[in-house]
Amino acid sequence: MTALLVTAAYIDGVGPAPAAAAAPRFAVPPTSVSRTAHPGTRPGTPPAHAAAPSIPSQGTSAVPTSAAAPAVGGATPAASTSAAAAPAAAPPVSSPTPSATSSTPVPISVPPPGGTADDGSFIQSETWLDPRMADLRVGSFAVGAIVPVRIIVPENWGADPNGVTWPVLYLLHGAHDDYTAWTRETDIESFVADKSVVVVMPEDGPTGIPTRWWNGGKQTPDYETFDAVELMQLLKRDFNASSKRAIAGVSTGGYGAIMMSAHYPGTFVAAASYSGLLNTTYPGMPAVMRAIVAREDIQPDALWGDPLHNVQLWNDDNPYAHAVNLRWTSLFISCGDGKGTSGVKPGSSDVQLGQTLEQAIQPQNIAFADRLGVLGIPVRSDFYSGGVHNWSSWRGTFAASWPMLAAGLGLQS
């Protein structure tokens, strides 16, 4: 247990940081492949915007992508299929006041002309870093903050009077990182340069756990609703995004990719997790989740309460418990066995911490794949030898998953 707790000082390849019972809310699996709204979407009249709302600001300002980000390709580990049937740059975000949003209140101008999400959330500003990449600042009522989002658009993207729309690929960051991770750690912008897809990289807070936080019953911030409802609606209305979507993420972002796919059955045509936390109640995993939260100086119970006394909350947000909802999504999951040293200095503490974390995560990934097998849900699994919990492994597994993601989005692989 001590080894699992100490891995929080390393998770997602970042070194040690400076010292410093609700009812289920999920949709019943649909009887067809039609889109199913998540019960987390609150019904009611959207807030009026006659006056400027007061929403805190979250995250860092726009930061240009690295001039030479590592490639997402490289050696591709061999992968296996557990069922034969086809499926139906910038530093981590920080805050002087620890919170799940790292937010600080700031004045906000009246929302600009254009579409809003159903709950009134809006795009406050766009900062174009180059002709294809922009940082958005989104006023989110689910998060209660101005949330940064990085997007990459195709070369021939633009508002089209003939109604041309574009498939969307969501890429989620991991713990103790931020929305710039994918452009900082990979060459994703050049990788998709010849592909007709909009890439979206949202900020999911300092822990990178895109969930509805319990937070003593306040159920806020709600990054899941931000990603899967508010942002999705804004992209469709302002950026010509289509209803064809795929999602992928590393570590806690891998958790989010699979969990959102289960909470919103059929919304994502494909989902990929790289070293994700896919069974959050697996022995030892609650300690890992709580350590991730605690590293940001946030009270661990703020996530989903105490894992012993708030069992229902923990099950509500456990991908393993809702795997049955994934039968409408093509799936890829990968994780190493923690016996590699790629990407870290040999003999360093990072090696031991990264190995320990990956070793702790792989068994629950295997248990998740086994659960899918019992349910008869196809999954492409890649449980490889070696690997430390960092981008040196994830670039290769993203490349391995790309054919599946591309097929779901209707793109050439």
Side-chain angles (χ1 to χ4, degrees):
M1 186 63 71
T2 300
L4 291 178
L5 289 172
V6 76
T7 58
Y10 173 88
I11 194 163
D12 299 354
V14 180
R25 53 182 170 83
F26 309 125
V28 176
T31 55
S32 67
V33 189
S34 60
R35 304 304 181 207
T36 303
H38 189 307
T41 307
R42 282 75 162 175
T45 304
H49 283 291
S54 177
I55 301 179
S57 175
Q58 179 192 339
T60 58
S61 58
V63 179
T65 186
S66 170
V72 296
T76 302
S80 64
T81 303
S82 66
V93 176
S94 60
S95 171
T97 303
S99 72
T101 60
S102 298
S103 59
T104 304
V106 296
I108 294 178
S109 61
V110 174
T116 62
D118 289 348
D119 67 356
S121 296
F122 59 94
I123 296 175
Q124 184 196 48
S125 66
E126 301 173 13
T127 301
W128 288 89
L129 308 178
D130 62 40
R132 292 179 47 239
M133 185 163 66
D135 282 349
L136 312 180
R137 288 172 58 81
V138 180
S140 166
F141 282 87
V143 176
I146 295 293
V147 184
V149 177
R150 180 161 288 183
I151 65 168
I152 301 171
V153 299
E155 290 284 357
N156 54 342
W157 172 87
D160 191 297
N162 297 319
V164 173
T165 59
W166 307 92
V168 181
L169 173 63
Y170 279 76
L171 296 177
L172 307 183
H173 66 82
H176 321 307
D177 212 329
D178 66 13
Y179 69 105
T180 69
W182 279 85
T183 53
R184 185 182 67 246
E185 299 291 348
T186 77
D187 66 345
I188 188 65
E189 184 178 16
S190 60
F191 179 78
V192 298
D194 61 346
K195 299 169 178 61
S196 299
V197 62
V198 173
V199 180
V200 182
M201 296 154 281
E203 173 60 53
D204 284 320
T207 67
I209 304 173
T211 189
R212 178 188 295 179
W213 287 65
W214 178 60
N215 203 9
K218 297 177 183 177
Q219 297 193 54
T220 184
D222 185 352
Y223 283 102
E224 185 179 84
T225 294
F226 171 68
D227 287 353
V229 179
E230 294 174 339
L231 183 56
M232 194 174 291
Q233 292 172 354
L234 290 169
L235 292 170
K236 188 172 185 178
R237 296 170 188 179
D238 290 358
F239 283 86
N240 290 5
S242 75
S243 296
K244 188 172 290 185
R245 313 174 187 94
I247 188 168
V250 300
S251 191
T252 53
Y255 157 85
I258 302 301
M259 190 72 265
M260 276 189 266
S261 298
H263 279 174
Y264 297 80
T267 296
F268 298 97
V269 294
S273 167
Y274 319 113
S275 301
L277 291 75
L278 306 184
N279 186 349
T280 55
T281 60
Y282 191 86
M285 292 315 297
V288 171
M289 298 294 290
R290 289 167 68 83
I292 292 170
V293 175
R295 186 194 165 188
E296 296 295 336
D297 292 329
I298 302 169
Q299 169 55 244
D301 284 355
L303 182 59
W304 302 314
D306 182 272
L308 296 179
H309 298 100
N310 302 96
V311 175
Q312 183 65 62
L313 290 176
W314 280 77
N315 285 333
D316 282 354
D317 288 290
N318 184 2
Y320 184 93
H322 301 278
V324 67
N325 286 355
L326 294 168
R327 64 179 68 256
W328 297 277
T329 302
S330 298
L331 299 170
F332 178 99
I333 61 175
S334 65
C335 191
D337 63 10
K339 296 181 180 178
T341 58
S342 177
V344 291
K345 182 179 178 180
S348 70
S349 60
D350 282 354
V351 171
Q352 295 178 331
L353 294 171
Q355 288 175 329
T356 300
L357 183 57
E358 201 75 350
Q359 289 167 7
I361 289 175
Q362 192 183 69
Q364 50 91 34
N365 270 264
I366 293 173
F368 182 78
D370 290 344
R371 174 62 177 161
L372 293 173
V374 169
L375 295 170
I377 298 175
V379 58
R380 188 182 181 196
S381 56
D382 184 2
F383 301 129
Y384 50 92
S385 296
V388 174
H389 199 77
N390 64 21
W391 285 94
S392 64
S393 296
W394 301 333
R395 295 182 196 106
T397 52
F398 172 80
S401 70
W402 175 248
M404 180 206 71
L405 296 170
L409 294 171
L411 305 174
Q412 294 289 332
S413 59

